[in-house]
Amino acid sequence: MAETTDVRPDLTAWTCPAPLRDQPRVVMGHGGGGAMSAELVEQIFAPAFGGPLLAGLGDSAALELGGAHLAFSTDSFVVRPLFFPGGSIGDLAVNGTVNDLAMSGARPAYLSCAFILEEGVETAVVRRVAEALGAAARAAGVEVATGDTKVVEAGHGDGIYVNTSGIGLIPPGVDLRPQRVVPGDVVIVSGQVGVHGVAIMSVREGLEFGVEIESDCAALGGLVEAMLAVTRDLHVLRDPTRGGLAASLNEIAAASGTGVVLQERAVPVPPAVANACAVLGLDPLYVANEGKLVAFVPREHADAVLAAMRAHPLGREAAVIGETVDAHPGMVVARTGLGGTRVVDMPLGEQLPRIC
């Protein structure tokens, strides 16, 4: 008999990767809206700033000031390229902040706007971004009330970065937060997912998928008002931007202590996005959106809310995609078209960098 050779790997030199919290430097994944982003906030920023309002870690903060119920939010935009099919960094700067306010049920009213410009950027480009931002603000029904401009040395920026903060008024009786989610809630998405992230990737990398994919960038305040006109007893709303639908569902499941069961085939994914994700090795559930929302609605109101969404231009393709359950609290699972079940984890970092 021939002598056998032991080909088992030598494990003595193997090491486990360091926990995320022990990383000595910031990496791109810390900005992806997934688990690494959450650790950065929870381990550095939240302890440093403190305060009960920040502890909610929502897209916007609900404040009581002078008898008024306000929503307040801020966001920074570092998208590359500055212009893409369906929008620009100027559109994103308005719609991203307006939508964060709308997810609190607020009617957005005023924005601040800060431009960080890199030395050498063409003034014509700055003007084009500013004009797009102004047009988007008017379309969303908000006013840019104050702002700031800074210039950094060449090589220390990426053309243009924009920060916007916004404030809006929350109507009486509206209380949107994940802690209100209970088992039996119906999960509704307002339309096709994954569009924005794929649109950005297509122009950034010069990829062609047989059809031009345009960003879904839009202000969702009107859609939210239509939903609240049906009932103010919505439980929570989220716009699934960084980390996509998967990140938003995981955040809500964790904060509410409920499980989420997703019907994978019910999630509306346009064929162009599905094909692009197949080529790029991406999961549409994790790809960013900029003009969609996901709602957790009490079952008794779900049909009426869905009808109101479908009657609005930004919700025509709204669909019920799942429900909340007692089982597996804090976890999202998807029932596949083949009858199996898979866990939909919180993304670690980011599939597509610099998408907002």
Side-chain angles (χ1 to χ4, degrees), residues 246-292:
S248 292
L249 294 178
N250 272 279
E251 289 169 357
I252 293 169
S256 64
T258 63
V260 175
V261 176
L262 193 65
Q263 300 296 334
E264 198 165 47
R265 282 190 171 176
V267 179
V269 180
V273 169
N275 293 338
C277 286
V279 170
L280 298 170
L282 304 177
D283 185 335
L285 295 180
Y286 293 89
V287 178
N289 312 271
E290 283 293 348
K292 300 296 187 296

mmCIF file of all heavy atoms in Angstrom, residues 246-292:
data_model
loop_
_atom_site.group_PDB
_atom_site.id
_atom_site.type_symbol
_atom_site.label_atom_id
_atom_site.label_comp_id
_atom_site.label_asym_id
_atom_site.label_seq_id
_atom_site.Cartn_x
_atom_site.Cartn_y
_atom_site.Cartn_z
ATOM 1 N N ALA A 246 -32.322 45.710 3.584
ATOM 2 C CA ALA A 246 -31.887 44.774 4.619
ATOM 3 C C ALA A 246 -31.460 45.499 5.892
ATOM 4 O O ALA A 246 -31.815 45.088 7.002
ATOM 5 C CB ALA A 246 -30.741 43.913 4.098
ATOM 6 N N ALA A 247 -30.692 46.584 5.756
ATOM 7 C CA ALA A 247 -30.232 47.311 6.938
ATOM 8 C C ALA A 247 -31.402 47.920 7.689
ATOM 9 O O ALA A 247 -31.468 47.844 8.920
ATOM 10 C CB ALA A 247 -29.235 48.396 6.528
ATOM 11 N N SER A 248 -32.349 48.526 6.974
ATOM 12 C CA SER A 248 -33.501 49.150 7.637
ATOM 13 C C SER A 248 -34.333 48.116 8.388
ATOM 14 O O SER A 248 -34.749 48.349 9.531
ATOM 15 C CB SER A 248 -34.374 49.874 6.611
ATOM 16 O OG SER A 248 -33.703 50.990 6.072
ATOM 17 N N LEU A 249 -34.586 46.982 7.768
ATOM 18 C CA LEU A 249 -35.381 45.945 8.432
ATOM 19 C C LEU A 249 -34.667 45.416 9.666
ATOM 20 O O LEU A 249 -35.302 45.184 10.708
ATOM 21 C CB LEU A 249 -35.664 44.810 7.455
ATOM 22 C CG LEU A 249 -36.552 45.148 6.259
ATOM 23 C CD1 LEU A 249 -36.710 43.932 5.353
ATOM 24 C CD2 LEU A 249 -37.918 45.665 6.699
ATOM 25 N N ASN A 250 -33.359 45.230 9.588
ATOM 26 C CA ASN A 250 -32.613 44.743 10.744
ATOM 27 C C ASN A 250 -32.605 45.757 11.878
ATOM 28 O O ASN A 250 -32.722 45.392 13.055
ATOM 29 C CB ASN A 250 -31.182 44.395 10.332
ATOM 30 C CG ASN A 250 -31.037 42.975 9.835
ATOM 31 O OD1 ASN A 250 -30.927 42.038 10.626
ATOM 32 N ND2 ASN A 250 -31.057 42.804 8.521
ATOM 33 N N GLU A 251 -32.449 47.039 11.543
ATOM 34 C CA GLU A 251 -32.461 48.072 12.579
ATOM 35 C C GLU A 251 -33.799 48.093 13.305
ATOM 36 O O GLU A 251 -33.847 48.194 14.541
ATOM 37 C CB GLU A 251 -32.190 49.436 11.954
ATOM 38 C CG GLU A 251 -30.757 49.623 11.479
ATOM 39 C CD GLU A 251 -30.573 50.864 10.629
ATOM 40 O OE1 GLU A 251 -31.586 51.556 10.356
ATOM 41 O OE2 GLU A 251 -29.422 51.148 10.232
ATOM 42 N N ILE A 252 -34.887 47.999 12.560
ATOM 43 C CA ILE A 252 -36.218 48.037 13.168
ATOM 44 C C ILE A 252 -36.475 46.774 13.987
ATOM 45 O O ILE A 252 -37.022 46.840 15.100
ATOM 46 C CB ILE A 252 -37.290 48.225 12.079
ATOM 47 C CG1 ILE A 252 -37.139 49.615 11.450
ATOM 48 C CG2 ILE A 252 -38.692 48.047 12.658
ATOM 49 C CD1 ILE A 252 -37.960 49.820 10.205
ATOM 50 N N ALA A 253 -36.078 45.621 13.474
ATOM 51 C CA ALA A 253 -36.250 44.378 14.222
ATOM 52 C C ALA A 253 -35.499 44.422 15.543
ATOM 53 O O ALA A 253 -36.029 44.037 16.595
ATOM 54 C CB ALA A 253 -35.784 43.191 13.377
ATOM 55 N N ALA A 254 -34.260 44.915 15.508
ATOM 56 C CA ALA A 254 -33.459 44.975 16.725
ATOM 57 C C ALA A 254 -34.038 45.950 17.740
ATOM 58 O O ALA A 254 -34.102 45.658 18.938
ATOM 59 C CB ALA A 254 -32.023 45.369 16.379
ATOM 60 N N ALA A 255 -34.478 47.125 17.262
ATOM 61 C CA ALA A 255 -35.003 48.139 18.179
ATOM 62 C C ALA A 255 -36.357 47.750 18.759
ATOM 63 O O ALA A 255 -36.689 48.134 19.884
ATOM 64 C CB ALA A 255 -35.108 49.476 17.454
ATOM 65 N N SER A 256 -37.143 46.998 18.005
ATOM 66 C CA SER A 256 -38.489 46.645 18.453
ATOM 67 C C SER A 256 -38.538 45.320 19.199
ATOM 68 O O SER A 256 -39.525 45.026 19.891
ATOM 69 C CB SER A 256 -39.440 46.571 17.252
ATOM 70 O OG SER A 256 -39.059 45.527 16.363
ATOM 71 N N GLY A 257 -37.500 44.493 19.043
ATOM 72 C CA GLY A 257 -37.512 43.186 19.685
ATOM 73 C C GLY A 257 -38.465 42.210 19.028
ATOM 74 O O GLY A 257 -38.900 41.243 19.660
ATOM 75 N N THR A 258 -38.802 42.447 17.767
ATOM 76 C CA THR A 258 -39.654 41.518 17.032
ATOM 77 C C THR A 258 -38.845 40.864 15.920
ATOM 78 O O THR A 258 -37.768 41.339 15.554
ATOM 79 C CB THR A 258 -40.859 42.238 16.400
ATOM 80 O OG1 THR A 258 -40.386 43.201 15.444
ATOM 81 C CG2 THR A 258 -41.694 42.951 17.456
ATOM 82 N N GLY A 259 -39.391 39.784 15.370
ATOM 83 C CA GLY A 259 -38.793 39.184 14.188
ATOM 84 C C GLY A 259 -39.503 39.679 12.949
ATOM 85 O O GLY A 259 -40.660 40.079 12.999
ATOM 86 N N VAL A 260 -38.788 39.691 11.831
ATOM 87 C CA VAL A 260 -39.377 40.083 10.555
ATOM 88 C C VAL A 260 -39.265 38.913 9.596
ATOM 89 O O VAL A 260 -38.185 38.331 9.443
ATOM 90 C CB VAL A 260 -38.670 41.315 9.957
ATOM 91 C CG1 VAL A 260 -39.231 41.639 8.567
ATOM 92 C CG2 VAL A 260 -38.824 42.523 10.879
ATOM 93 N N VAL A 261 -40.401 38.561 8.988
ATOM 94 C CA VAL A 261 -40.427 37.526 7.958
ATOM 95 C C VAL A 261 -40.703 38.207 6.628
ATOM 96 O O VAL A 261 -41.734 38.851 6.440
ATOM 97 C CB VAL A 261 -41.497 36.456 8.238
ATOM 98 C CG1 VAL A 261 -41.545 35.446 7.093
ATOM 99 C CG2 VAL A 261 -41.202 35.746 9.555
ATOM 100 N N LEU A 262 -39.766 38.072 5.715
ATOM 101 C CA LEU A 262 -39.808 38.712 4.416
ATOM 102 C C LEU A 262 -40.167 37.670 3.358
ATOM 103 O O LEU A 262 -39.593 36.579 3.340
ATOM 104 C CB LEU A 262 -38.432 39.310 4.122
ATOM 105 C CG LEU A 262 -38.236 40.280 2.977
ATOM 106 C CD1 LEU A 262 -38.999 41.563 3.228
ATOM 107 C CD2 LEU A 262 -36.748 40.578 2.802
ATOM 108 N N GLN A 263 -41.123 38.012 2.492
ATOM 109 C CA GLN A 263 -41.428 37.153 1.352
ATOM 110 C C GLN A 263 -40.570 37.627 0.180
ATOM 111 O O GLN A 263 -40.840 38.655 -0.425
ATOM 112 C CB GLN A 263 -42.914 37.229 1.008
ATOM 113 C CG GLN A 263 -43.848 36.803 2.126
ATOM 114 C CD GLN A 263 -43.691 35.334 2.500
ATOM 115 O OE1 GLN A 263 -43.280 34.514 1.678
ATOM 116 N NE2 GLN A 263 -43.998 35.008 3.740
ATOM 117 N N GLU A 264 -39.506 36.884 -0.104
ATOM 118 C CA GLU A 264 -38.500 37.367 -1.043
ATOM 119 C C GLU A 264 -39.083 37.689 -2.418
ATOM 120 O O GLU A 264 -38.731 38.695 -3.040
ATOM 121 C CB GLU A 264 -37.382 36.333 -1.172
ATOM 122 C CG GLU A 264 -36.103 36.870 -1.770
ATOM 123 C CD GLU A 264 -34.945 35.925 -1.549
ATOM 124 O OE1 GLU A 264 -35.103 34.701 -1.783
ATOM 125 O OE2 GLU A 264 -33.876 36.396 -1.116
ATOM 126 N N ARG A 265 -39.986 36.865 -2.910
ATOM 127 C CA ARG A 265 -40.567 37.098 -4.222
ATOM 128 C C ARG A 265 -41.491 38.314 -4.261
ATOM 129 O O ARG A 265 -41.793 38.824 -5.339
ATOM 130 C CB ARG A 265 -41.325 35.855 -4.687
ATOM 131 C CG ARG A 265 -40.425 34.748 -5.227
ATOM 132 C CD ARG A 265 -41.209 33.652 -5.886
ATOM 133 N NE ARG A 265 -40.349 32.706 -6.581
ATOM 134 C CZ ARG A 265 -40.790 31.612 -7.184
ATOM 135 N NH1 ARG A 265 -42.095 31.331 -7.184
ATOM 136 N NH2 ARG A 265 -39.942 30.800 -7.807
ATOM 137 N N ALA A 266 -41.958 38.743 -3.104
ATOM 138 C CA ALA A 266 -42.859 39.894 -3.059
ATOM 139 C C ALA A 266 -42.108 41.213 -3.135
ATOM 140 O O ALA A 266 -42.723 42.258 -3.390
ATOM 141 C CB ALA A 266 -43.706 39.849 -1.782
ATOM 142 N N VAL A 267 -40.796 41.200 -2.895
ATOM 143 C CA VAL A 267 -40.012 42.433 -2.940
ATOM 144 C C VAL A 267 -39.875 42.870 -4.395
ATOM 145 O O VAL A 267 -39.333 42.127 -5.220
ATOM 146 C CB VAL A 267 -38.617 42.229 -2.319
ATOM 147 C CG1 VAL A 267 -37.815 43.527 -2.391
ATOM 148 C CG2 VAL A 267 -38.747 41.762 -0.873
ATOM 149 N N PRO A 268 -40.347 44.072 -4.743
ATOM 150 C CA PRO A 268 -40.286 44.505 -6.142
ATOM 151 C C PRO A 268 -38.869 44.921 -6.543
ATOM 152 O O PRO A 268 -38.355 45.940 -6.093
ATOM 153 C CB PRO A 268 -41.258 45.690 -6.199
ATOM 154 C CG PRO A 268 -41.330 46.203 -4.795
ATOM 155 C CD PRO A 268 -41.073 45.036 -3.891
ATOM 156 N N VAL A 269 -38.248 44.112 -7.374
ATOM 157 C CA VAL A 269 -36.910 44.396 -7.901
ATOM 158 C C VAL A 269 -37.038 44.474 -9.418
ATOM 159 O O VAL A 269 -37.409 43.487 -10.051
ATOM 160 C CB VAL A 269 -35.899 43.299 -7.517
ATOM 161 C CG1 VAL A 269 -34.519 43.627 -8.090
ATOM 162 C CG2 VAL A 269 -35.824 43.140 -6.004
ATOM 163 N N PRO A 270 -36.762 45.630 -10.041
ATOM 164 C CA PRO A 270 -36.884 45.727 -11.499
ATOM 165 C C PRO A 270 -35.891 44.805 -12.191
ATOM 166 O O PRO A 270 -34.788 44.575 -11.680
ATOM 167 C CB PRO A 270 -36.588 47.198 -11.788
ATOM 168 C CG PRO A 270 -35.844 47.693 -10.599
ATOM 169 C CD PRO A 270 -36.322 46.892 -9.429
ATOM 170 N N PRO A 271 -36.257 44.263 -13.353
ATOM 171 C CA PRO A 271 -35.367 43.333 -14.048
ATOM 172 C C PRO A 271 -33.976 43.900 -14.296
ATOM 173 O O PRO A 271 -32.975 43.171 -14.177
ATOM 174 C CB PRO A 271 -36.103 43.063 -15.367
ATOM 175 C CG PRO A 271 -37.550 43.290 -15.048
ATOM 176 C CD PRO A 271 -37.559 44.396 -14.048
ATOM 177 N N ALA A 272 -33.871 45.189 -14.644
ATOM 178 C CA ALA A 272 -32.560 45.777 -14.915
ATOM 179 C C ALA A 272 -31.678 45.743 -13.681
ATOM 180 O O ALA A 272 -30.467 45.483 -13.763
ATOM 181 C CB ALA A 272 -32.717 47.207 -15.414
ATOM 182 N N VAL A 273 -32.267 45.993 -12.508
ATOM 183 C CA VAL A 273 -31.503 45.947 -11.262
ATOM 184 C C VAL A 273 -31.133 44.507 -10.924
ATOM 185 O O VAL A 273 -30.001 44.219 -10.514
ATOM 186 C CB VAL A 273 -32.301 46.592 -10.111
ATOM 187 C CG1 VAL A 273 -31.640 46.317 -8.765
ATOM 188 C CG2 VAL A 273 -32.432 48.089 -10.337
ATOM 189 N N ALA A 274 -32.075 43.584 -11.101
ATOM 190 C CA ALA A 274 -31.790 42.172 -10.821
ATOM 191 C C ALA A 274 -30.656 41.673 -11.705
ATOM 192 O O ALA A 274 -29.753 40.975 -11.232
ATOM 193 C CB ALA A 274 -33.047 41.339 -11.033
ATOM 194 N N ASN A 275 -30.679 42.036 -12.979
ATOM 195 C CA ASN A 275 -29.635 41.592 -13.897
ATOM 196 C C ASN A 275 -28.282 42.210 -13.532
ATOM 197 O O ASN A 275 -27.247 41.538 -13.559
ATOM 198 C CB ASN A 275 -30.007 41.958 -15.332
ATOM 199 C CG ASN A 275 -31.209 41.182 -15.831
ATOM 200 O OD1 ASN A 275 -31.535 40.105 -15.307
ATOM 201 N ND2 ASN A 275 -31.896 41.716 -16.824
ATOM 202 N N ALA A 276 -28.296 43.508 -13.216
ATOM 203 C CA ALA A 276 -27.052 44.175 -12.840
ATOM 204 C C ALA A 276 -26.471 43.571 -11.576
ATOM 205 O O ALA A 276 -25.254 43.339 -11.476
ATOM 206 C CB ALA A 276 -27.293 45.668 -12.659
ATOM 207 N N CYS A 277 -27.318 43.293 -10.592
ATOM 208 C CA CYS A 277 -26.836 42.701 -9.347
ATOM 209 C C CYS A 277 -26.281 41.304 -9.589
ATOM 210 O O CYS A 277 -25.287 40.909 -8.963
ATOM 211 C CB CYS A 277 -27.970 42.659 -8.321
ATOM 212 S SG CYS A 277 -28.380 44.279 -7.613
ATOM 213 N N ALA A 278 -26.903 40.553 -10.498
ATOM 214 C CA ALA A 278 -26.396 39.220 -10.811
ATOM 215 C C ALA A 278 -25.003 39.302 -11.423
ATOM 216 O O ALA A 278 -24.110 38.513 -11.096
ATOM 217 C CB ALA A 278 -27.357 38.514 -11.758
ATOM 218 N N VAL A 279 -24.791 40.295 -12.302
ATOM 219 C CA VAL A 279 -23.485 40.469 -12.931
ATOM 220 C C VAL A 279 -22.440 40.905 -11.915
ATOM 221 O O VAL A 279 -21.295 40.444 -11.923
ATOM 222 C CB VAL A 279 -23.581 41.492 -14.081
ATOM 223 C CG1 VAL A 279 -22.197 41.872 -14.594
ATOM 224 C CG2 VAL A 279 -24.430 40.949 -15.218
ATOM 225 N N LEU A 280 -22.835 41.813 -11.007
ATOM 226 C CA LEU A 280 -21.893 42.392 -10.061
ATOM 227 C C LEU A 280 -21.743 41.578 -8.781
ATOM 228 O O LEU A 280 -20.907 41.901 -7.932
ATOM 229 C CB LEU A 280 -22.342 43.823 -9.697
ATOM 230 C CG LEU A 280 -22.400 44.815 -10.856
ATOM 231 C CD1 LEU A 280 -23.073 46.107 -10.414
ATOM 232 C CD2 LEU A 280 -21.005 45.096 -11.390
ATOM 233 N N GLY A 281 -22.560 40.538 -8.619
ATOM 234 C CA GLY A 281 -22.491 39.728 -7.414
ATOM 235 C C GLY A 281 -23.082 40.423 -6.198
ATOM 236 O O GLY A 281 -22.615 40.218 -5.075
ATOM 237 N N LEU A 282 -24.116 41.241 -6.401
ATOM 238 C CA LEU A 282 -24.742 41.995 -5.318
ATOM 239 C C LEU A 282 -26.124 41.428 -5.001
ATOM 240 O O LEU A 282 -26.747 40.768 -5.837
ATOM 241 C CB LEU A 282 -24.888 43.472 -5.708
ATOM 242 C CG LEU A 282 -23.611 44.210 -6.110
ATOM 243 C CD1 LEU A 282 -23.936 45.630 -6.546
ATOM 244 C CD2 LEU A 282 -22.611 44.215 -4.965
ATOM 245 N N ASP A 283 -26.595 41.694 -3.808
ATOM 246 C CA ASP A 283 -27.950 41.336 -3.395
ATOM 247 C C ASP A 283 -28.778 42.611 -3.405
ATOM 248 O O ASP A 283 -28.454 43.572 -2.703
ATOM 249 C CB ASP A 283 -27.921 40.736 -1.988
ATOM 250 C CG ASP A 283 -29.285 40.219 -1.533
ATOM 251 O OD1 ASP A 283 -30.307 40.712 -2.045
ATOM 252 O OD2 ASP A 283 -29.321 39.351 -0.646
ATOM 253 N N PRO A 284 -29.876 42.681 -4.186
ATOM 254 C CA PRO A 284 -30.679 43.911 -4.250
ATOM 255 C C PRO A 284 -31.189 44.389 -2.894
ATOM 256 O O PRO A 284 -31.427 45.589 -2.718
ATOM 257 C CB PRO A 284 -31.840 43.525 -5.169
ATOM 258 C CG PRO A 284 -31.330 42.390 -5.986
ATOM 259 C CD PRO A 284 -30.382 41.638 -5.099
ATOM 260 N N LEU A 285 -31.336 43.476 -1.937
ATOM 261 C CA LEU A 285 -31.829 43.874 -0.622
ATOM 262 C C LEU A 285 -30.849 44.787 0.106
ATOM 263 O O LEU A 285 -31.239 45.511 1.025
ATOM 264 C CB LEU A 285 -32.113 42.641 0.241
ATOM 265 C CG LEU A 285 -33.227 41.712 -0.218
ATOM 266 C CD1 LEU A 285 -33.371 40.548 0.757
ATOM 267 C CD2 LEU A 285 -34.556 42.457 -0.340
ATOM 268 N N TYR A 286 -29.575 44.751 -0.294
ATOM 269 C CA TYR A 286 -28.546 45.535 0.374
ATOM 270 C C TYR A 286 -28.134 46.775 -0.418
ATOM 271 O O TYR A 286 -27.253 47.515 0.015
ATOM 272 C CB TYR A 286 -27.307 44.668 0.622
ATOM 273 C CG TYR A 286 -27.535 43.555 1.614
ATOM 274 C CD1 TYR A 286 -27.997 42.307 1.193
ATOM 275 C CD2 TYR A 286 -27.303 43.740 2.976
ATOM 276 C CE1 TYR A 286 -28.209 41.277 2.101
ATOM 277 C CE2 TYR A 286 -27.511 42.722 3.885
ATOM 278 C CZ TYR A 286 -27.969 41.487 3.444
ATOM 279 O OH TYR A 286 -28.185 40.478 4.349
ATOM 280 N N VAL A 287 -28.757 46.996 -1.562
ATOM 281 C CA VAL A 287 -28.379 48.121 -2.415
ATOM 282 C C VAL A 287 -29.211 49.350 -2.043
ATOM 283 O O VAL A 287 -30.410 49.253 -1.775
ATOM 284 C CB VAL A 287 -28.574 47.758 -3.906
ATOM 285 C CG1 VAL A 287 -28.239 48.941 -4.799
ATOM 286 C CG2 VAL A 287 -27.695 46.568 -4.268
ATOM 287 N N ALA A 288 -28.574 50.512 -2.044
ATOM 288 C CA ALA A 288 -29.187 51.742 -1.546
ATOM 289 C C ALA A 288 -30.326 52.238 -2.436
ATOM 290 O O ALA A 288 -30.335 52.042 -3.649
ATOM 291 C CB ALA A 288 -28.139 52.835 -1.419
ATOM 292 N N ASN A 289 -31.271 52.908 -1.799
ATOM 293 C CA ASN A 289 -32.379 53.591 -2.459
ATOM 294 C C ASN A 289 -32.361 55.045 -2.010
ATOM 295 O O ASN A 289 -31.871 55.367 -0.936
ATOM 296 C CB ASN A 289 -33.708 52.952 -2.062
ATOM 297 C CG ASN A 289 -33.680 51.440 -2.175
ATOM 298 O OD1 ASN A 289 -33.969 50.877 -3.208
ATOM 299 N ND2 ASN A 289 -33.312 50.762 -1.083
ATOM 300 N N GLU A 290 -32.944 55.931 -2.808
ATOM 301 C CA GLU A 290 -33.033 57.335 -2.401
ATOM 302 C C GLU A 290 -34.433 57.918 -2.591
ATOM 303 O O GLU A 290 -34.626 59.096 -2.400
ATOM 304 C CB GLU A 290 -32.025 58.191 -3.176
ATOM 305 C CG GLU A 290 -30.600 58.058 -2.667
ATOM 306 C CD GLU A 290 -30.390 58.630 -1.273
ATOM 307 O OE1 GLU A 290 -31.282 59.343 -0.766
ATOM 308 O OE2 GLU A 290 -29.340 58.356 -0.675
ATOM 309 N N GLY A 291 -35.391 57.093 -2.986
ATOM 310 C CA GLY A 291 -36.750 57.590 -3.156
ATOM 311 C C GLY A 291 -37.792 56.562 -2.790
ATOM 312 O O GLY A 291 -38.895 56.535 -3.338
ATOM 313 N N LYS A 292 -37.453 55.688 -1.852
ATOM 314 C CA LYS A 292 -38.361 54.638 -1.402
ATOM 315 C C LYS A 292 -38.455 54.665 0.116
ATOM 316 O O LYS A 292 -37.562 55.160 0.802
ATOM 317 C CB LYS A 292 -37.862 53.260 -1.860
ATOM 318 C CG LYS A 292 -37.740 53.098 -3.364
ATOM 319 C CD LYS A 292 -39.077 53.209 -4.068
ATOM 320 C CE LYS A 292 -38.992 52.874 -5.561
ATOM 321 N NZ LYS A 292 -38.153 53.821 -6.311
#
